[in-house]
Every structure is written in structure tokens, then in C-alpha cells.
Amino acid sequence: ADVINGIHNSGAKVAAIDAPSGLFAEDNSNNTGAIVRADHTLTFQVPKLAFMFPENAEYVGDWQVVPIGLHESYLRSVETPYHYLLAPELQPLLHVRDKFSHKGNFGHSLLVSGSKGKMGATIMAARACLRSGTGLLTVHCPASGMPVLQEALPEAMCEPDEDENIISQVHDLTKFNTIGVGPGLGTDPQTANSLKLLIQNAPCPLVID
């Protein structure tokens, strides 16, 4: 602890090798008085579970994995409930678009979202949906949310609910390739019933928040 406190008081940039001294690598039962606070951690072969806890960010700093030649087939055989995604695993999901393609070639998504006072969640979800690559987006939202949505996100099509303030029903779902539902939806019983019917009748994949 005295050595670690000396490091903290030095004013120097601190680099940790494999893991900051004093940090438990496999759980979160740390003595917070005696852990090196690293600006940068170079860790061997795989990240440690402790790096994934937000309360350990002040000790780990920015971290980078350094391969040291541990046996890959052994690492793949170790059973674990923990998984994380890397850019190479996500890359194949990004489709290459033809020079003459247009929005009609990339599917039609429905977003069922919003209630009075929660249209910000709808706008953020709609932006995320468009950014993810959908071609067409229709947002089913309370009627009172239409002006907000159309001003903030003119590229999204709007389908107003019959109710001014909540989602009370969802109409024809057959023209959509995927459906997102949930952001800012609220807890009104009528909305809950609409959600139940949507889940029962959806003809395509659902993303539910």
C-alpha cells in the first residue's frame, strides 16, 4: 500500500502491465485503498473481467490487449458465461451497397415508440435505426408527438396513433421487415395491451426495449 500510494503521489503517468497492482482480476471485491490507478494498461492475451466493471475504470484507464503466444485452441476451449464483441466479428454484418442502390433496397422498419413527455426517446431511437442501415423507417407514435418527430427527423415517415398521448393500437404490420418497440412507451394499460397484440401478430423479427 505504501508503494502504491507513492506511485499516486508521484504525479507521473502510470502504465500497468497485465493488470494494475492490487486489482482483483476475476471479481469486484477490491480494497479500494491499495490499487494502482493506471492511465494505461497493457494486458496479456485477453482482457480481465475486472476491466468490464465501470467502478474499476479509474484503476485500469485505457487498456490494450497484447498477444503473448498463449495457446489459442486452449483459450477457445475454456468455458465462460462472459462474451464481448470485437470489430472483426461485427464487420461481416455491414453490407456493401451497390452504386445504384436506394432506400427501397434496404428494408422497411417500423418503430413503435413514444408517449407524452417522452418523445426524446423516440427521436434517439429513430436516429439510431436509420444510422444502423435501414432503408425506410416508419414511426408509429402518439398524435401529439408528430410535429416534434417530423421537425427533428424529416427523413422518418410518421404514422400517428389515434390517441393524442399514448400508443393505443398498432395497425397493419405486414409491410415491414423488422419492428422495434419500446423507447418512451410508458406504462398505460392500453399501451400494454397494444404491445401484447403486436408481439402476437408480428410477422417479422422484433427488437423490444
Side-chain angles (χ1 to χ4, degrees), residues 140-144 159-169 171 190:
H140 183 99
C141 66
S144 63
E159 178 184 274
D161 196 275
E162 293 172 4
D163 194 285
E164 279 289 310
N165 299 318
I166 63 168
I167 300 295
S168 64
Q169 86 291 314
H171 298 301
Q190 199 170 353

Side-chain angles (χ1 to χ4, degrees), residues 9-197:
N9 294 330
S10 70
K13 289 285 185 181
V14 178
I17 302 301
D18 201 27
S21 294
L23 182 71
F24 283 83
E26 303 265 335
D27 61 25
N28 217 19
S29 57
N30 293 295
N31 171 11
T32 56
I35 304 173
V36 165
R37 295 189 189 94
D39 298 292
H40 196 85
T41 299
L42 297 173
T43 195
F44 296 148
Q45 201 70 38
V46 292
K48 311 305 180 270
L49 178 61
F51 296 2
M52 306 300 176
F53 295 124
E55 51 266 57
N56 291 338
E58 65 175 304
Y59 309 119
V60 180
D62 296 322
W63 55 268
Q64 180 181 347
V65 175
V66 179
I68 58 170
L70 298 184
H71 208 285
E72 289 291 339
S73 61
Y74 168 74
L75 292 174
R76 286 193 293 270
S77 71
V78 176
E79 292 187 9
T80 175
Y82 305 110
H83 302 275
Y84 69 105
L85 290 172
L86 296 172
E89 295 167 309
L90 296 173
Q91 192 68 36
L93 301 177
L94 301 176
H95 299 287
V96 177
R97 300 197 168 189
D98 183 76
K99 182 190 296 184
F100 297 105
S101 61
H102 58 83
K103 62 186 179 182
N105 300 130
F106 299 103
H108 192 169
S109 298
L110 171 66
L111 175 64
V112 181
S113 175
S115 57
K116 185 178 180 180
K118 299 184 177 69
M119 286 305 298
T122 301
I123 290 167
M124 288 191 290
R127 281 182 177 150
C129 182
L130 288 166
R131 189 174 177 84
S132 75
T134 192
L136 297 166
L137 171 63
T138 294
V139 181
H140 183 99
C141 66
S144 63
M146 282 267 295
V148 178
L149 183 64
Q150 293 202 301
E151 183 173 340
L153 206 66
E155 59 266 51
M157 295 176 285
C158 297
E159 178 184 274
D161 196 275
E162 293 172 4
D163 194 285
E164 279 289 310
N165 299 318
I166 63 168
I167 300 295
S168 64
Q169 86 291 314
V170 180
H171 298 301
D172 179 26
L173 303 174
T174 58
K175 62 182 178 181
F176 301 109
N177 304 107
T178 188
I179 300 171
V181 56
L185 211 57
T187 58
D188 189 278
Q190 199 170 353
T191 302
N193 187 58
S194 299
L195 174 60
K196 178 176 181 289
L197 292 173

